[in-house]
mmCIF file of all heavy atoms in Angstrom:
data_model
loop_
_atom_site.group_PDB
_atom_site.id
_atom_site.type_symbol
_atom_site.label_atom_id
_atom_site.label_comp_id
_atom_site.label_asym_id
_atom_site.label_seq_id
_atom_site.Cartn_x
_atom_site.Cartn_y
_atom_site.Cartn_z
ATOM 1 N N ARG A 97 71.902 40.558 -16.800
ATOM 2 C CA ARG A 97 70.535 40.974 -17.210
ATOM 3 C C ARG A 97 69.879 41.770 -16.068
ATOM 4 O O ARG A 97 69.201 42.720 -16.263
ATOM 5 C CB ARG A 97 69.687 39.720 -17.598
ATOM 6 C CG ARG A 97 70.023 39.152 -18.923
ATOM 7 C CD ARG A 97 69.031 38.044 -19.298
ATOM 8 N NE ARG A 97 69.404 36.788 -18.705
ATOM 9 C CZ ARG A 97 68.563 35.700 -18.702
ATOM 10 N NH1 ARG A 97 67.332 35.809 -19.180
ATOM 11 N NH2 ARG A 97 68.947 34.576 -18.188
ATOM 12 N N LEU A 98 70.085 41.282 -14.851
ATOM 13 C CA LEU A 98 69.483 41.930 -13.714
ATOM 14 C C LEU A 98 70.089 43.322 -13.499
ATOM 15 O O LEU A 98 69.428 44.259 -13.124
ATOM 16 C CB LEU A 98 69.666 41.092 -12.463
ATOM 17 C CG LEU A 98 68.844 39.781 -12.425
ATOM 18 C CD1 LEU A 98 69.396 38.827 -11.327
ATOM 19 C CD2 LEU A 98 67.404 40.084 -12.212
ATOM 20 N N ILE A 99 71.437 43.428 -13.703
ATOM 21 C CA ILE A 99 72.080 44.690 -13.525
ATOM 22 C C ILE A 99 71.649 45.677 -14.576
ATOM 23 O O ILE A 99 71.299 46.839 -14.262
ATOM 24 C CB ILE A 99 73.631 44.502 -13.558
ATOM 25 C CG1 ILE A 99 74.129 43.682 -12.375
ATOM 26 C CG2 ILE A 99 74.333 45.856 -13.560
ATOM 27 C CD1 ILE A 99 75.576 43.264 -12.457
ATOM 28 N N ALA A 100 71.628 45.243 -15.854
ATOM 29 C CA ALA A 100 71.327 46.138 -16.932
ATOM 30 C C ALA A 100 69.876 46.642 -16.850
ATOM 31 O O ALA A 100 69.599 47.750 -17.273
ATOM 32 C CB ALA A 100 71.555 45.432 -18.272
ATOM 33 N N SER A 101 69.016 45.825 -16.378
ATOM 34 C CA SER A 101 67.601 46.204 -16.278
ATOM 35 C C SER A 101 67.263 47.091 -15.089
ATOM 36 O O SER A 101 66.173 47.603 -14.980
ATOM 37 C CB SER A 101 66.725 44.941 -16.224
ATOM 38 O OG SER A 101 66.914 44.239 -14.985
ATOM 39 N N GLY A 102 68.233 47.209 -14.170
ATOM 40 C CA GLY A 102 68.013 48.011 -13.003
ATOM 41 C C GLY A 102 67.232 47.267 -11.890
ATOM 42 O O GLY A 102 66.755 47.888 -10.965
ATOM 43 N N ALA A 103 67.126 45.959 -12.050
ATOM 44 C CA ALA A 103 66.448 45.167 -11.061
ATOM 45 C C ALA A 103 67.227 44.955 -9.762
ATOM 46 O O ALA A 103 66.617 44.728 -8.726
ATOM 47 C CB ALA A 103 66.079 43.782 -11.624
ATOM 48 N N VAL A 104 68.596 45.064 -9.848
ATOM 49 C CA VAL A 104 69.391 44.925 -8.639
ATOM 50 C C VAL A 104 70.286 46.154 -8.537
ATOM 51 O O VAL A 104 70.607 46.803 -9.494
ATOM 52 C CB VAL A 104 70.243 43.626 -8.729
ATOM 53 C CG1 VAL A 104 69.380 42.404 -8.673
ATOM 54 C CG2 VAL A 104 71.161 43.612 -9.936
ATOM 55 N N ALA A 105 70.700 46.417 -7.297
ATOM 56 C CA ALA A 105 71.457 47.598 -6.970
ATOM 57 C C ALA A 105 72.911 47.246 -6.637
ATOM 58 O O ALA A 105 73.208 46.067 -6.259
ATOM 59 C CB ALA A 105 70.848 48.275 -5.809
ATOM 60 N N PRO A 106 73.817 48.203 -6.733
ATOM 61 C CA PRO A 106 75.184 47.985 -6.236
ATOM 62 C C PRO A 106 75.122 47.582 -4.809
ATOM 63 O O PRO A 106 74.222 47.916 -4.049
ATOM 64 C CB PRO A 106 75.853 49.290 -6.478
ATOM 65 C CG PRO A 106 75.053 49.998 -7.487
ATOM 66 C CD PRO A 106 73.655 49.542 -7.276
ATOM 67 N N VAL A 107 76.181 46.867 -4.304
ATOM 68 C CA VAL A 107 76.253 46.438 -2.948
ATOM 69 C C VAL A 107 77.437 47.059 -2.235
ATOM 70 O O VAL A 107 78.535 47.126 -2.800
ATOM 71 C CB VAL A 107 76.377 44.886 -2.905
ATOM 72 C CG1 VAL A 107 76.791 44.409 -1.522
ATOM 73 C CG2 VAL A 107 75.076 44.237 -3.307
ATOM 74 N N SER A 108 77.200 47.564 -1.005
ATOM 75 C CA SER A 108 78.300 48.113 -0.204
ATOM 76 C C SER A 108 78.918 46.921 0.544
ATOM 77 O O SER A 108 78.394 46.517 1.582
ATOM 78 C CB SER A 108 77.760 49.156 0.793
ATOM 79 O OG SER A 108 77.287 50.286 0.132
ATOM 80 N N THR A 109 80.060 46.433 0.036
ATOM 81 C CA THR A 109 80.676 45.271 0.651
ATOM 82 C C THR A 109 81.225 45.585 2.035
ATOM 83 O O THR A 109 81.444 44.696 2.854
ATOM 84 C CB THR A 109 81.822 44.715 -0.251
ATOM 85 O OG1 THR A 109 82.757 45.781 -0.483
ATOM 86 C CG2 THR A 109 81.235 44.229 -1.572
ATOM 87 N N SER A 110 81.393 46.812 2.313
ATOM 88 C CA SER A 110 81.919 47.244 3.642
ATOM 89 C C SER A 110 80.868 46.940 4.762
ATOM 90 O O SER A 110 81.215 46.837 5.932
ATOM 91 C CB SER A 110 82.234 48.728 3.693
ATOM 92 O OG SER A 110 81.071 49.518 3.385
ATOM 93 N N LEU A 111 79.597 46.796 4.334
ATOM 94 C CA LEU A 111 78.513 46.473 5.281
ATOM 95 C C LEU A 111 78.324 44.934 5.429
ATOM 96 O O LEU A 111 77.472 44.494 6.136
ATOM 97 C CB LEU A 111 77.176 47.064 4.789
ATOM 98 C CG LEU A 111 77.171 48.570 4.624
ATOM 99 C CD1 LEU A 111 75.792 49.066 4.126
ATOM 100 C CD2 LEU A 111 77.562 49.313 5.891
ATOM 101 N N ILE A 112 79.199 44.187 4.795
ATOM 102 C CA ILE A 112 79.108 42.742 4.781
ATOM 103 C C ILE A 112 80.484 42.203 5.318
ATOM 104 O O ILE A 112 81.412 41.950 4.477
ATOM 105 C CB ILE A 112 78.807 42.172 3.386
ATOM 106 C CG1 ILE A 112 77.564 42.799 2.878
ATOM 107 C CG2 ILE A 112 78.697 40.684 3.430
ATOM 108 C CD1 ILE A 112 77.234 42.492 1.409
ATOM 109 N N PRO A 113 80.695 42.074 6.613
ATOM 110 C CA PRO A 113 81.981 41.759 7.180
ATOM 111 C C PRO A 113 82.629 40.483 6.604
ATOM 112 O O PRO A 113 83.845 40.472 6.376
ATOM 113 C CB PRO A 113 81.677 41.581 8.671
ATOM 114 C CG PRO A 113 80.482 42.459 8.900
ATOM 115 C CD PRO A 113 79.639 42.331 7.625
ATOM 116 N N ASN A 114 81.853 39.430 6.325
ATOM 117 C CA ASN A 114 82.379 38.184 5.833
ATOM 118 C C ASN A 114 82.897 38.260 4.412
ATOM 119 O O ASN A 114 83.612 37.396 3.961
ATOM 120 C CB ASN A 114 81.347 37.076 5.932
ATOM 121 C CG ASN A 114 81.227 36.592 7.380
ATOM 122 O OD1 ASN A 114 82.184 36.189 8.019
ATOM 123 N ND2 ASN A 114 79.984 36.655 7.870
ATOM 124 N N TYR A 115 82.614 39.382 3.703
ATOM 125 C CA TYR A 115 83.116 39.552 2.323
ATOM 126 C C TYR A 115 84.642 39.643 2.349
ATOM 127 O O TYR A 115 85.273 39.228 1.400
ATOM 128 C CB TYR A 115 82.550 40.873 1.735
ATOM 129 C CG TYR A 115 82.921 41.075 0.271
ATOM 130 C CD1 TYR A 115 82.191 40.430 -0.709
ATOM 131 C CD2 TYR A 115 83.919 41.952 -0.065
ATOM 132 C CE1 TYR A 115 82.503 40.612 -2.019
ATOM 133 C CE2 TYR A 115 84.219 42.138 -1.399
ATOM 134 C CZ TYR A 115 83.550 41.503 -2.394
ATOM 135 O OH TYR A 115 83.864 41.701 -3.705
ATOM 136 N N ALA A 116 85.256 40.047 3.450
ATOM 137 C CA ALA A 116 86.703 40.161 3.513
ATOM 138 C C ALA A 116 87.376 38.818 3.297
ATOM 139 O O ALA A 116 88.524 38.791 2.825
ATOM 140 C CB ALA A 116 87.115 40.759 4.878
ATOM 141 N N ASN A 117 86.689 37.727 3.647
ATOM 142 C CA ASN A 117 87.328 36.398 3.544
ATOM 143 C C ASN A 117 86.953 35.644 2.330
ATOM 144 O O ASN A 117 87.267 34.481 2.167
ATOM 145 C CB ASN A 117 86.979 35.611 4.767
ATOM 146 C CG ASN A 117 87.610 36.176 6.067
ATOM 147 O OD1 ASN A 117 88.768 36.589 6.065
ATOM 148 N ND2 ASN A 117 86.855 36.195 7.105
ATOM 149 N N VAL A 118 86.204 36.329 1.384
ATOM 150 C CA VAL A 118 85.849 35.715 0.121
ATOM 151 C C VAL A 118 87.111 35.581 -0.733
ATOM 152 O O VAL A 118 87.986 36.505 -0.746
ATOM 153 C CB VAL A 118 84.803 36.495 -0.630
ATOM 154 C CG1 VAL A 118 84.612 36.017 -2.072
ATOM 155 C CG2 VAL A 118 83.500 36.393 0.082
ATOM 156 N N PHE A 119 87.328 34.447 -1.393
ATOM 157 C CA PHE A 119 88.458 34.248 -2.296
ATOM 158 C C PHE A 119 88.618 35.430 -3.252
ATOM 159 O O PHE A 119 87.604 35.813 -3.870
ATOM 160 C CB PHE A 119 88.389 32.957 -3.006
ATOM 161 C CG PHE A 119 88.572 31.690 -2.210
ATOM 162 C CD1 PHE A 119 87.475 30.871 -1.867
ATOM 163 C CD2 PHE A 119 89.805 31.345 -1.705
ATOM 164 C CE1 PHE A 119 87.660 29.734 -1.095
ATOM 165 C CE2 PHE A 119 90.002 30.224 -0.941
ATOM 166 C CZ PHE A 119 88.879 29.443 -0.596
ATOM 167 N N GLU A 120 89.799 35.916 -3.383
ATOM 168 C CA GLU A 120 90.050 37.064 -4.312
ATOM 169 C C GLU A 120 89.658 36.717 -5.739
ATOM 170 O O GLU A 120 89.256 37.609 -6.514
ATOM 171 C CB GLU A 120 91.487 37.487 -4.252
ATOM 172 C CG GLU A 120 91.900 38.146 -2.931
ATOM 173 C CD GLU A 120 91.050 39.441 -2.628
ATOM 174 O OE1 GLU A 120 90.795 40.202 -3.596
ATOM 175 O OE2 GLU A 120 90.716 39.626 -1.475
ATOM 176 N N GLY A 121 89.787 35.470 -6.086
ATOM 177 C CA GLY A 121 89.446 35.026 -7.445
ATOM 178 C C GLY A 121 87.934 35.151 -7.786
ATOM 179 O O GLY A 121 87.562 34.943 -8.915
ATOM 180 N N LEU A 122 87.134 35.495 -6.791
ATOM 181 C CA LEU A 122 85.729 35.611 -7.008
ATOM 182 C C LEU A 122 85.235 37.063 -6.891
ATOM 183 O O LEU A 122 84.054 37.339 -7.192
ATOM 184 C CB LEU A 122 84.893 34.791 -6.039
ATOM 185 C CG LEU A 122 84.925 33.219 -6.275
ATOM 186 C CD1 LEU A 122 84.335 32.524 -5.082
ATOM 187 C CD2 LEU A 122 84.264 32.938 -7.547
ATOM 188 N N LYS A 123 86.088 37.964 -6.528
ATOM 189 C CA LYS A 123 85.668 39.344 -6.277
ATOM 190 C C LYS A 123 85.827 40.203 -7.565
ATOM 191 O O LYS A 123 86.787 40.026 -8.324
ATOM 192 C CB LYS A 123 86.521 39.958 -5.167
ATOM 193 C CG LYS A 123 86.250 39.385 -3.774
ATOM 194 C CD LYS A 123 87.153 40.091 -2.756
ATOM 195 C CE LYS A 123 86.866 39.556 -1.347
ATOM 196 N NZ LYS A 123 87.708 40.163 -0.319
ATOM 197 N N ASN A 124 84.884 41.118 -7.775
ATOM 198 C CA ASN A 124 84.980 42.092 -8.856
ATOM 199 C C ASN A 124 85.242 41.452 -10.210
ATOM 200 O O ASN A 124 86.119 41.829 -10.932
ATOM 201 C CB ASN A 124 86.080 43.130 -8.567
ATOM 202 C CG ASN A 124 85.707 43.954 -7.367
ATOM 203 O OD1 ASN A 124 84.557 44.362 -7.148
ATOM 204 N ND2 ASN A 124 86.731 44.281 -6.526
ATOM 205 N N LYS A 125 84.393 40.471 -10.569
ATOM 206 C CA LYS A 125 84.474 39.772 -11.800
ATOM 207 C C LYS A 125 83.397 40.301 -12.757
ATOM 208 O O LYS A 125 82.466 40.983 -12.405
ATOM 209 C CB LYS A 125 84.367 38.287 -11.635
ATOM 210 C CG LYS A 125 85.529 37.734 -10.761
ATOM 211 C CD LYS A 125 86.918 38.065 -11.393
ATOM 212 C CE LYS A 125 88.049 37.535 -10.564
ATOM 213 N NZ LYS A 125 89.374 37.906 -11.139
ATOM 214 N N ALA A 126 83.531 39.875 -14.010
ATOM 215 C CA ALA A 126 82.619 40.420 -15.040
ATOM 216 C C ALA A 126 81.183 40.051 -14.845
ATOM 217 O O ALA A 126 80.320 40.672 -15.376
ATOM 218 C CB ALA A 126 83.133 39.915 -16.426
ATOM 219 N N TRP A 127 80.931 38.958 -14.078
ATOM 220 C CA TRP A 127 79.542 38.507 -13.852
ATOM 221 C C TRP A 127 78.936 39.073 -12.555
ATOM 222 O O TRP A 127 77.764 38.883 -12.341
ATOM 223 C CB TRP A 127 79.454 37.007 -13.894
ATOM 224 C CG TRP A 127 80.260 36.338 -12.762
ATOM 225 C CD1 TRP A 127 79.835 36.061 -11.526
ATOM 226 C CD2 TRP A 127 81.628 35.915 -12.848
ATOM 227 N NE1 TRP A 127 80.823 35.474 -10.772
ATOM 228 C CE2 TRP A 127 81.931 35.382 -11.543
ATOM 229 C CE3 TRP A 127 82.596 35.943 -13.849
ATOM 230 C CZ2 TRP A 127 83.199 34.893 -11.244
ATOM 231 C CZ3 TRP A 127 83.852 35.485 -13.528
ATOM 232 C CH2 TRP A 127 84.159 34.928 -12.267
ATOM 233 N N ASN A 128 79.764 39.723 -11.740
ATOM 234 C CA ASN A 128 79.236 40.242 -10.470
ATOM 235 C C ASN A 128 79.583 41.695 -10.173
ATOM 236 O O ASN A 128 79.370 42.154 -9.057
ATOM 237 C CB ASN A 128 79.599 39.334 -9.276
ATOM 238 C CG ASN A 128 81.107 39.213 -9.101
ATOM 239 O OD1 ASN A 128 81.859 40.138 -9.472
ATOM 240 N ND2 ASN A 128 81.520 38.127 -8.496
ATOM 241 N N SER A 129 80.180 42.392 -11.191
ATOM 242 C CA SER A 129 80.522 43.816 -10.965
ATOM 243 C C SER A 129 80.521 44.496 -12.289
ATOM 244 O O SER A 129 80.614 43.887 -13.350
ATOM 245 C CB SER A 129 81.878 43.888 -10.282
ATOM 246 O OG SER A 129 82.907 43.455 -11.173
ATOM 247 N N VAL A 130 80.497 45.819 -12.250
ATOM 248 C CA VAL A 130 80.608 46.661 -13.412
ATOM 249 C C VAL A 130 81.585 47.781 -13.129
ATOM 250 O O VAL A 130 81.282 48.550 -12.170
ATOM 251 C CB VAL A 130 79.235 47.181 -13.875
ATOM 252 C CG1 VAL A 130 79.393 48.110 -15.061
ATOM 253 C CG2 VAL A 130 78.268 46.098 -14.215
ATOM 254 N N ASN A 131 82.637 47.820 -13.898
ATOM 255 C CA ASN A 131 83.640 48.916 -13.705
ATOM 256 C C ASN A 131 84.095 49.018 -12.269
ATOM 257 O O ASN A 131 84.259 50.104 -11.743
ATOM 258 C CB ASN A 131 83.073 50.263 -14.187
ATOM 259 C CG ASN A 131 82.684 50.198 -15.672
ATOM 260 O OD1 ASN A 131 83.412 49.578 -16.469
ATOM 261 N ND2 ASN A 131 81.680 50.860 -16.117
ATOM 262 N N GLY A 132 84.329 47.874 -11.642
ATOM 263 C CA GLY A 132 84.889 47.887 -10.311
ATOM 264 C C GLY A 132 83.793 48.024 -9.217
ATOM 265 O O GLY A 132 84.138 47.985 -8.016
ATOM 266 N N VAL A 133 82.539 48.194 -9.548
ATOM 267 C CA VAL A 133 81.467 48.345 -8.546
ATOM 268 C C VAL A 133 80.847 46.997 -8.377
ATOM 269 O O VAL A 133 80.305 46.412 -9.307
ATOM 270 C CB VAL A 133 80.417 49.413 -9.043
ATOM 271 C CG1 VAL A 133 79.298 49.453 -8.037
ATOM 272 C CG2 VAL A 133 81.067 50.745 -9.199
ATOM 273 N N ALA A 134 80.842 46.544 -7.123
ATOM 274 C CA ALA A 134 80.272 45.192 -6.814
ATOM 275 C C ALA A 134 78.746 45.273 -6.805
ATOM 276 O O ALA A 134 78.123 46.219 -6.336
ATOM 277 C CB ALA A 134 80.720 44.741 -5.426
ATOM 278 N N TYR A 135 78.131 44.262 -7.374
ATOM 279 C CA TYR A 135 76.676 44.142 -7.448
ATOM 280 C C TYR A 135 76.183 42.840 -6.694
ATOM 281 O O TYR A 135 75.108 42.395 -6.902
ATOM 282 C CB TYR A 135 76.187 44.070 -8.878
ATOM 283 C CG TYR A 135 76.003 45.424 -9.460
ATOM 284 C CD1 TYR A 135 77.101 46.146 -9.972
ATOM 285 C CD2 TYR A 135 74.706 46.034 -9.529
ATOM 286 C CE1 TYR A 135 76.954 47.469 -10.497
ATOM 287 C CE2 TYR A 135 74.520 47.288 -10.103
ATOM 288 C CZ TYR A 135 75.629 47.996 -10.580
ATOM 289 O OH TYR A 135 75.447 49.266 -11.096
ATOM 290 N N GLY A 136 77.055 42.393 -5.823
ATOM 291 C CA GLY A 136 76.622 41.261 -5.036
ATOM 292 C C GLY A 136 77.790 40.579 -4.330
ATOM 293 O O GLY A 136 78.937 41.050 -4.386
ATOM 294 N N VAL A 137 77.480 39.470 -3.672
ATOM 295 C CA VAL A 137 78.567 38.687 -2.973
ATOM 296 C C VAL A 137 78.593 37.287 -3.536
ATOM 297 O O VAL A 137 77.539 36.593 -3.714
ATOM 298 C CB VAL A 137 78.292 38.662 -1.452
ATOM 299 C CG1 VAL A 137 78.410 40.090 -0.846
ATOM 300 C CG2 VAL A 137 76.926 38.074 -1.080
ATOM 301 N N PRO A 138 79.794 36.785 -3.804
ATOM 302 C CA PRO A 138 79.926 35.415 -4.419
ATOM 303 C C PRO A 138 79.454 34.364 -3.444
ATOM 304 O O PRO A 138 79.740 34.427 -2.237
ATOM 305 C CB PRO A 138 81.420 35.325 -4.687
ATOM 306 C CG PRO A 138 81.890 36.765 -4.759
ATOM 307 C CD PRO A 138 81.093 37.496 -3.738
ATOM 308 N N HIS A 139 78.807 33.387 -3.930
ATOM 309 C CA HIS A 139 78.293 32.233 -3.151
ATOM 310 C C HIS A 139 79.147 31.023 -3.187
ATOM 311 O O HIS A 139 79.324 30.322 -2.201
ATOM 312 C CB HIS A 139 76.864 31.913 -3.624
ATOM 313 C CG HIS A 139 76.258 30.725 -2.982
ATOM 314 N ND1 HIS A 139 75.337 30.848 -1.968
ATOM 315 C CD2 HIS A 139 76.412 29.391 -3.200
ATOM 316 C CE1 HIS A 139 74.935 29.609 -1.595
ATOM 317 N NE2 HIS A 139 75.601 28.718 -2.299
#
């Protein structure tokens, strides 16, 4: 809902060093990305 409404922006994961160690099973999923573009970091 936040993505579709334009309330949140895509995220440059390259600017978030700790993203590299996030479990792969949480990256680029249907609830946190669109067409391979990340919209956040998994918690």
Side-chain angles (χ1 to χ4, degrees):
R97 285 188 277 169
L98 290 167
I99 295 171
S101 68
V104 295
V107 167
S108 294
T109 57
S110 61
L111 302 180
I112 305 171
N114 284 306
Y115 186 80
N117 294 319
V118 168
F119 288 108
E120 290 300 320
L122 286 172
K123 293 179 177 179
N124 294 322
K125 297 303 178 182
W127 61 90
N128 60 25
S129 67
V130 177
N131 298 325
V133 177
Y135 275 79
V137 296
H139 174 100

